[in-house]
């Protein structure tokens, strides 16, 4: 087991003090009430791909079990849920202390496939010779139905899909899980926005990076398995089938609130705003009008939009837990 010490600031944390500075990549796993068997498998996979590993637990009810599991990794235990932005920033701080040149962010329900980490490093180093790289992201397979993801570009009519048909695909933003960042780039672009709490933390960072001249890329051959949400629906949109994740009602609060918050920021491109408005409209129709629990979803959507216009940020407490 790694050695831990207690620190107090916004919450009490247990922070391991040992790390291997020879590792190139610090893999940061953010957890909230994780399945310990799945977490153990993820840790094992990352160790086989030669990563330094940090688990940041965001106030899980089974936190004691995580500590007692003896994963032999670095561990930060937050007494309360500080949100994804704060957890990622804790990972950035630890990455600096450990001396790792790269930071890899992973959700607890993501699992890298064969040599994913090394493939991300190769693409990052290759593209860095000719461009300012914000991050390089893996292509993921939906763990529910094994369908393949696509990378996203901003289109004049809607978000455009860039499928993994080439080894390296330009992207306008990436999901945080499976994304490899250079610690030097994180210094220049800045840390994650903790005020967003959950949704759009990754979107905001990539919009900010793009405004500074950085470009994201997808690495088609770097693959992982990834869960999209509590339930995924296969629907036809614009004549093509796509996976649409359904979330618990409180998540629609953060999705709508944080979208509106970002619409008010100058560095958020007009093209992204137009594309995202269409995405919100689709979410409103599908989960506010067509699928249950309609009223609970609508309530959260309207409250989130109102708070976005009002400038409210940070965590908002509801009866449901945040994840």
């Amino acid at each position: 087991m790694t050695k831990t010490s207690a620190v107090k600031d916004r919450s009490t944390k247990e922070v391991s003090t040992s790390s291997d500075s020879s590792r190139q990549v610090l893999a940061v796993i953010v957890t909230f009430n994780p399945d310990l068997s799945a977490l153990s498998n993820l840790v094992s996979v990352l160790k086989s791909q030669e990563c330094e590993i940090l688990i940041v637990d965001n106030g899980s009810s089974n936190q004691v079990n995580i500590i007692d599991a003896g994963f032999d990794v670095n561990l930060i235990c937050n007494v309360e849920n500080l949100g994804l932005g704060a957890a990622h920033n804790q990972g950035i701080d630890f990455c600096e202390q450990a001396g790792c040149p790269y930071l890899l962010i992973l959700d607890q329900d993501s699992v890298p496939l064969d040599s994913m980490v090394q493939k991300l490093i190769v693409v990052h180093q290759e593209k860095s010779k000719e461009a300012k790289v914000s991050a390089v992201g893996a292509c993921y397979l939906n763990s529910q139905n094994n369908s393949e993801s696509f990378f996203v570009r901003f289109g004049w009519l809607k978000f455009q899909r860039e499928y993994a048909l080439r080894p390296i695909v330009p992207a306008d933003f990436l999901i945080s899980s499976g994304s490899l960042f250079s610690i030097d780039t994180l210094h220049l672009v800045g840390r994650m926005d903790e005020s967003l709490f959950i949704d759009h933390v990754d979107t905001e960072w990539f919009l900010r990076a793009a405004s500074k001249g950085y470009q994201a890329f997808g690495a088609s051959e770097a693959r992982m398995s990834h869960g999209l949400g509590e339930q995924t629906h296969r629907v036809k949109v614009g004549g093509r089938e796509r996976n649409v994740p359904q979330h618990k009602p409180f998540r629609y609060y953060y999705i709508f609130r944080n979208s509106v918050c970002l619409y008010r920021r100058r560095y958020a491109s007009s093209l992204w705003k137009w594309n995202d408005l269409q995405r919100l409209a689709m979410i409103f129709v599908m989960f506010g009008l067509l699928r249950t629990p309609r009223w609970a979803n609508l309530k959260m959507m309207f409250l989130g939009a109102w708070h976005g216009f009002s400038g409210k940020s940070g965590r908002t407490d509801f009866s449901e837990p945040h994840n």
Side-chain angles (χ1 to χ4, degrees):
M1 282 293 291
T2 52
K3 190 178 178 181
T4 62
S5 61
V7 179
K8 288 189 176 181
D9 42 48
R10 291 173 300 177
S11 67
T12 301
K13 304 188 291 284
E14 292 188 12
V15 186
S16 72
T17 57
S18 64
S19 63
D20 184 351
S21 60
S22 67
R23 302 289 191 185
Q24 277 193 292
V25 178
L26 174 71
V28 179
I29 309 168
V30 180
T31 58
F32 184 80
N33 296 334
D35 178 294
L36 295 186
S37 176
L39 183 58
S40 177
N41 178 61
L42 174 54
V43 167
S44 178
V45 170
L46 289 170
K47 285 184 176 181
S48 72
Q49 298 193 25
E50 300 184 348
C51 291
E52 179 76 3
I53 302 170
L54 170 67
I55 294 176
V56 181
D57 185 70
N58 248 339
S60 293
S61 60
N62 62 342
Q63 193 171 92
V64 172
N65 295 331
I66 297 172
I67 297 170
D68 291 342
F71 290 126
D72 193 23
V73 298
N74 306 292
L75 179 63
I76 296 177
C77 290
N78 295 321
V79 168
E80 61 181 355
N81 191 343
L82 301 180
L84 283 179
H88 292 165
N89 285 338
Q90 288 174 317
I92 293 170
D93 292 341
F94 194 93
C95 190
E96 293 173 340
Q97 296 167 13
C100 297
Y102 295 103
L103 174 77
L104 173 68
I105 294 176
L106 288 166
D107 293 345
Q108 65 193 34
D109 55 358
S110 299
V111 181
L113 302 180
D114 294 342
S115 303
M116 185 200 83
V117 175
Q118 187 58 38
K119 290 173 181 177
L120 288 174
I121 294 174
V122 169
V123 172
H124 198 296
Q125 292 176 342
E126 179 180 337
K127 296 308 295 183
S128 293
K129 296 175 183 177
E130 60 188 57
K132 294 170 65 177
V133 177
S134 55
V136 173
C139 176
Y140 63 85
L141 304 176
N142 184 346
S143 60
Q144 292 186 14
N145 56 28
N146 212 38
S147 60
E148 187 175 295
S149 71
F150 49 85
F151 300 104
V152 177
R153 303 301 304 268
F154 303 151
W156 290 108
L157 296 178
K158 61 181 180 178
F159 287 119
Q160 299 296 313
R161 304 177 182 188
E162 292 285 347
Y163 288 93
L165 302 178
R166 294 170 288 161
I168 303 175
V169 180
D172 285 321
F173 69 91
L174 303 165
I175 66 168
S176 56
S177 188
S179 291
L180 183 77
F181 301 81
S182 161
I183 196 67
D184 291 336
T185 298
L186 286 165
H187 286 154
L188 293 169
V189 175
R191 292 154 62 85
M192 304 296 171
D193 186 345
E194 299 182 17
S195 72
L196 298 176
F197 191 68
I198 302 180
D199 292 281
H200 278 326
V201 173
D202 43 13
T203 305
E204 185 279 331
W205 190 89
F206 281 105
L207 289 171
R208 183 161 26 107
S211 73
K212 298 176 183 290
Y214 287 84
Q215 173 69 57
F217 295 93
S220 299
E221 296 178 1
R223 298 187 168 229
M224 70 177 185
S225 173
H226 178 67
L228 293 178
E230 290 80 17
Q231 184 180 4
T232 302
H233 302 281
R234 191 78 170 165
V235 298
K236 280 192 174 182
V237 179
R240 302 181 70 174
E241 286 193 345
R242 60 174 294 181
N243 296 309
V244 180
Q246 180 171 358
H247 301 288
K248 293 179 181 178
F250 78 88
R251 284 290 299 278
Y252 295 114
Y253 167 84
Y254 289 104
I255 290 170
F256 277 71
R257 188 197 72 179
N258 292 347
S259 282
V260 174
C261 284
L262 293 187
Y263 296 162
R264 303 173 63 187
R265 300 189 183 182
R266 292 183 179 179
Y267 56 82
S269 72
S270 298
L271 205 53
W272 171 78
K273 294 175 186 177
W274 167 237
N275 289 178
D276 191 68
L277 274 170
Q278 295 176 73
R279 184 181 74 99
L280 291 189
M282 182 193 71
I283 291 173
F284 178 83
V285 171
M286 187 165 184
F287 301 112
L289 301 179
L290 300 179
R291 293 188 181 270
T292 58
R294 299 180 188 86
W295 172 242
N297 291 339
L298 282 172
K299 181 180 178 181
M300 290 293 100
M301 292 174 192
F302 283 119
L303 182 63
W306 171 250
H307 281 179
F309 283 116
S310 303
K312 182 177 175 60
S313 61
R315 173 173 173 163
T316 299
D317 289 317
F318 304 109
S319 59
E320 295 179 278
H322 302 322
N323 60 8

